[in-house]
Amino acid sequence: MEFDNLHQILRSLYGQMMPLCGDMAGVAKGIAGLGALFYVAYRVWQSLARAEPIDVFPMLRPFAIGLCIMFFPTVVLGTLNSIMSPVVQGTAKMLETQTLDMNQYREQKDRLEYEAMVRNPETAYLVSSEEYDKQLEELGWSPADMATMAKMYLDRKMYEIKKGIRDFFREILELMFQAAALVIDTVRTFFLVVLAILGPVAFAISVWDGFQSTLTQWFCRYIQVYLWLPVSDIFSTILAKIQVLMLQSDIERMQTDPNFSLDSSDGVYIVFMIIGIIGYFTIPTVAGWIIQAGGMGSYGRNVNQTAGRAGSMAGSVAGAAAGNMVGRAGKLLK
């Protein structure tokens, strides 16, 4: 199963969990009704005690909240999701465009690398089995020719091992990169589902005096968590654009400089993948800059600490894998 399918499962999970909001509406109605009774009675008694006219307009607040609780999935969640959905669609379109460009340039770079090595007689046998067999047929059976055959075989194996290590690093870091994005999306879906299911209760509690800020905090937290996905898409778009620029630079240098080496380019790519893994865990903090929601600071600190551990783990895995692969390569050459 691909990571895109897992993200789609999370989207469908959110939609399937929304009917559970209705199960909490009954409890919320009771809490809101009792709160409305005390809310109205207190203000009526206060106006009578002060011999002032009764102001009816502030007393409409509990009834408005009660209507929101009765039609919570459609009036509240439906309105919020309809407003925020275009933002998600816009950032997803940006990411899709940059990803397509990155894949095209990567294919072009791999093709140019293969063609450049095939054109060079000294490296053609490393990537082409036909050229390797052809050069072997041209050799004789003298001791010098046997030494040349052994050297060609070792060079070919070393190139395959080096390419295997490079591809292994790339696959491991890309897997961790996709896993970091999935972790953020999973936590985001969990938070949204909890906020949606317990939303009617939060609305009901906000009817009581002293808890009015609960309503504002619920809206702030829901919008902030909802923005994690657009921020994640923007972050992925920036990384994809950086990779596109790197690939364009490598392609231009490969077309103009026949001695260009891809080793340094692959090292920079691995560094950017590690930066991307760490950067994904800063998304909740960035979303908090867009809209402030109290009570989210401790989670942000935990996420930042996790990001540091993830970066250290990525470096440790890369180093351990490199040592293991090089050690095995050494044994093969002995």
Side-chain angles (χ1 to χ4, degrees), residues 39-60:
Y39 184 90
V40 174
Y42 173 75
R43 279 154 181 77
V44 170
W45 174 81
Q46 188 180 45
S47 299
L48 293 176
R50 295 178 178 176
E52 297 175 351
I54 299 174
D55 190 1
V56 179
F57 185 76
M59 299 181 188
L60 298 179

Side-chain angles (χ1 to χ4, degrees), residues 148-190:
T148 303
M149 289 182 186
K151 182 178 182 303
M152 290 175 58
Y153 177 78
L154 292 176
D155 290 342
R156 185 177 173 88
K157 287 299 180 183
M158 286 298 298
Y159 175 79
E160 293 176 353
I161 292 173
K162 181 179 179 181
K163 189 175 184 301
I165 293 175
R166 184 180 65 184
D167 294 340
F168 176 76
F169 283 163
R170 177 180 297 177
E171 292 177 0
I172 288 294
L173 291 176
E174 287 179 351
L175 177 63
M176 296 181 66
F177 183 81
Q178 296 289 342
L182 185 62
V183 167
I184 292 296
D185 199 5
T186 303
V187 175
R188 170 186 177 270
T189 303
F190 169 72

Side-chain angles (χ1 to χ4, degrees), residues 222-288:
Y222 188 89
I223 296 174
Q224 181 184 10
V225 175
Y226 200 97
L227 287 175
W228 286 11
L229 183 59
V231 173
S232 174
D233 290 340
I234 293 174
F235 180 73
S236 300
T237 302
I238 295 173
L239 293 178
K241 185 62 177 179
I242 293 174
Q243 294 182 40
V244 167
L245 295 175
M246 291 171 57
L247 291 172
Q248 289 177 343
S249 176
D250 292 342
I251 290 172
E252 292 177 358
R253 296 185 63 182
M254 290 174 66
Q255 292 174 342
T256 58
D257 185 5
N259 298 322
F260 174 66
S261 176
L262 292 173
D263 293 340
S264 60
S265 175
D266 293 332
V268 174
Y269 175 79
I270 290 175
V271 170
F272 269 106
M273 291 299 296
I274 296 176
I275 293 173
I277 294 171
I278 299 175
Y280 256 115
F281 292 95
T282 63
I283 289 174
T285 303
V286 177

Side-chain angles (χ1 to χ4, degrees), residues 117-126 131 135 155:
M117 297 192 70
V118 170
R119 284 195 303 267
N120 188 354
E122 297 180 357
T123 60
Y125 70 92
L126 296 176
E131 186 65 24
Q135 293 189 19
D155 290 342

